[in-house]
């Protein structure tokens, strides 16, 4: 799900977008997406290919610094 105000939302992703590839890696589950995201560091670029309705869309996102709690 795409959260309002998130990096994904700011890049133009929508809640019903289905992620197919992350940095050219096939994504077959939410676990695989979390794993791909976990390998990134702040400042890395993430290229996502998503299916939106019946077409493919490509997004490039800059991975932000993680907030410290």
């Amino acid at each position: 799900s795409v959260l309002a105000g998130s990096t994904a939302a700011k890049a133009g992703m929508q809640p019903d977008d289905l992620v197919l590839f992350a940095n050219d890696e096939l994504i077959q589950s939410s676990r695989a997406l979390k794993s791909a995201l976990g390998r990134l560091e702040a400042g890395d670029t993430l290229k996502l290919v998503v299916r939106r309705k019946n077409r493919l869309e490509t997004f490039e996102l800059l991975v932000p610094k993680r907030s410290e709690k």
Side-chain angles (χ1 to χ4, degrees):
S1 182
V2 177
L3 301 175
S6 68
T7 301
K10 291 175 186 173
M13 292 186 65
Q14 298 177 0
D16 290 333
D17 289 347
L18 176 64
V19 176
L20 301 175
F21 293 91
N23 288 345
D24 300 320
E25 178 183 337
L26 179 63
I27 301 298
Q28 295 181 315
S29 67
S30 59
R31 181 181 218 163
L33 180 57
K34 287 179 184 178
S35 176
L37 296 174
R39 292 190 294 271
L40 299 172
E41 296 183 16
D44 287 348
T45 299
L46 172 63
K47 178 182 169 188
L48 294 176
V49 176
V50 304
R51 183 172 58 215
R52 178 179 292 167
K53 298 185 181 176
N54 289 324
R55 65 182 196 276
L56 298 180
E57 300 277 343
T58 301
F59 297 91
E60 289 197 10
L61 298 86
L62 183 64
V63 177
K65 289 184 179 182
R66 299 182 197 267
S67 329
E68 294 194 30
K69 295 182 179 179

